Amino acid sequence: MGDITFGTINSILLENIKNVFRKISSAAIRSGRNPFDVRLVAVTKTVDFERIKEASSLGLRIFGENRVQEAGRKIADCKAQCADCDIEWHMIGHLQKNKAKAAVRLFDLIHSIDSFGLAEEVNTCASKENKVQRVLIEVKLSEEETKHGIAKKNLMDLIEAVSGMRNIRLEGLMTIPPFFEDPEMSRPFFRELRELRDKAGTSGHRLPELSMGMTNDYEVAILEGATIVRIGTAIFGERR
Ligand SMILES: *Cc1c(COP(=O)(O)O)cnc(C)c1O
C-alpha cells in the first residue's frame, strides 16, 4: 500500500488551491480591494503536464514557467489536448535575448523584461509575429548578485523606451525580493515597487500591474498592492 491514487493527489491539490484562494481573498479584502483584482499565476516549473491538467480542471487559468524550453513542451501538449481552453501562460524567469523569439511565440505575458536590449529584441520578434506582446519590467530592489532586473536608477529610462515600442504593451512591474523566513521582511521591497509604479504614474505612465509575492510572502505582497501573485509550492507542494 502507500500508493497515492489519482483521487488523493487531486484532493490535496484542491485543498491547496482552496487555501491559496482563501488567503488571497482575505488579504485583498483587508487591503480594501476586490479579490478578483488579484490574479493567481500557478507556477508550474518542474510540475509535469498531468498535474497541470488537474490544476486546470480545478479551475486554474494562468500558469507560469521560468524556462522557455521546459515551457515549450508543456504549452505544446496543452494546446494539442485543449485548443480552446482559456489558459494563459506567463514567462516569469530570466529571459535571454536568444530565447526572445520562442518566448514571444509561447507566452501571453513576459514578467521579466530587464534591459533595453531585451525589450528591443522582444519588440522585433513580436513585430515579425504580428503580435503585441504584453510585458512587465522586472526591477532589482536588492543587492543580491543572483537576482535579475533593471536597477532602480535606470528604471524610468527603460519605461520611457519600452513605452515607445510599437509591438510591446507595458502593463506593470515585477520584483523578487530576497528570501526571508519572516514575510514581513519582504514588505519594504513590495512597498518600494508600488512607490516606483506610482512615481511612473506621475510621469504619465500608467502601469496597473504589480507582479509580486510567492508562496512565503504573497499575503504581505497583496497588502502592499500586488495585482499578480506567483505561487508554486503552496499549490503543487515542494519541488523535486
Ligand atoms: C519559482 C518561482 C515562483 C514560485 O515560488 P514558490 O515559492 O514555490 O511559490 C515565483 N516566481 C518566480 C520568478 C519563480 O521562479
Side-chain angles (χ1 to χ4, degrees):
M1 282 303 289
D3 282 358
I4 300 172
T5 66
F6 179 82
T8 315
I9 295 175
N10 211 304
S11 70
I12 292 170
L13 192 56
L14 178 59
E15 276 314 306
N16 287 350
I17 292 170
K18 283 202 290 199
N19 270 325
V20 167
F21 274 123
R22 200 158 28 232
K23 289 183 182 170
I24 289 175
S25 304
S26 155
I29 289 165
R30 274 183 284 151
S31 71
R33 289 187 298 149
N34 184 332
F36 293 106
D37 292 342
V38 180
R39 250 113 356 93
L40 168 62
V41 176
V43 176
T44 48
K45 62 191 185 205
T46 80
V47 175
D48 62 31
F49 177 63
E50 287 305 314
R51 305 208 72 211
I52 296 176
K53 248 182 16 187
E54 286 180 39
S56 125
S57 74
L58 294 172
L60 297 191
R61 282 293 166 268
I62 310 177
F63 296 107
E65 287 280 337
N66 69 337
R67 291 215 172 84
V68 171
Q69 209 179 342
E70 182 183 341
R73 287 192 302 270
K74 292 179 192 175
I75 296 174
D77 285 349
C78 189
K79 291 195 168 145
Q81 294 205 11
C82 187
D84 47 25
C85 279
D86 181 23
I87 286 175
E88 269 189 30
W89 291 90
H90 289 192
M91 174 60 182
I92 61 172
H94 178 61
L95 181 60
Q96 288 168 328
K97 257 203 262 183
N98 62 4
K99 302 270 170 62
K101 181 176 168 186
V104 164
R105 287 187 174 167
L106 290 168
F107 293 104
D108 298 290
L109 180 66
I110 296 172
H111 290 223
S112 46
I113 298 296
D114 62 358
S115 70
F116 178 76
L118 177 62
E120 231 180 10
E121 186 65 21
V122 166
N123 185 54
T124 304
C125 297
S127 159
K128 286 180 188 153
E129 299 284 323
N130 267 321
K131 176 179 184 183
V132 175
Q133 178 66 54
R134 298 162 49 210
V135 306
L136 308 177
I137 289 176
E138 179 174 355
V139 189
K140 183 171 154 83
L141 297 176
S142 71
E143 298 306 317
E144 290 173 297
E145 283 303 321
T146 53
K147 288 273 152 60
H148 297 283
I150 185 86
K152 242 185 312 181
K153 63 180 191 328
N154 300 324
L155 175 62
M156 275 315 296
D157 285 345
L158 185 58
I159 291 174
E160 291 284 346
V162 170
S163 300
M165 295 180 183
R166 296 184 56 144
N167 288 79
I168 286 188
R169 188 166 84 221
L170 177 60
E171 299 190 340
L173 305 178
M174 180 269 225
T175 200
I176 310 174
F179 177 83
F180 300 106
E181 286 292 336
D182 176 4
E184 278 300 324
M185 301 282 287
S186 305
R187 189 187 285 270
F189 296 91
F190 297 144
R191 181 171 299 163
E192 188 168 21
L193 194 72
R194 170 165 49 83
E195 287 168 355
L196 288 168
R197 187 274 307 273
D198 294 346
K199 197 172 130 223
T202 63
S203 324
H205 298 288
R206 208 181 85 80
L207 303 176
E209 306 291 354
L210 290 176
S211 167
M212 54 191 199
M214 306 172 27
T215 289
N216 195 50
D217 54 18
Y218 64 96
E219 292 170 276
V220 173
I222 293 169
L223 292 171
E224 290 300 329
T227 61
I228 302 176
V229 290
R230 311 176 308 266
I231 301 179
T233 309
I235 295 173
F236 297 106
E238 290 292 337
R239 280 181 290 276
R240 285 161 280 125

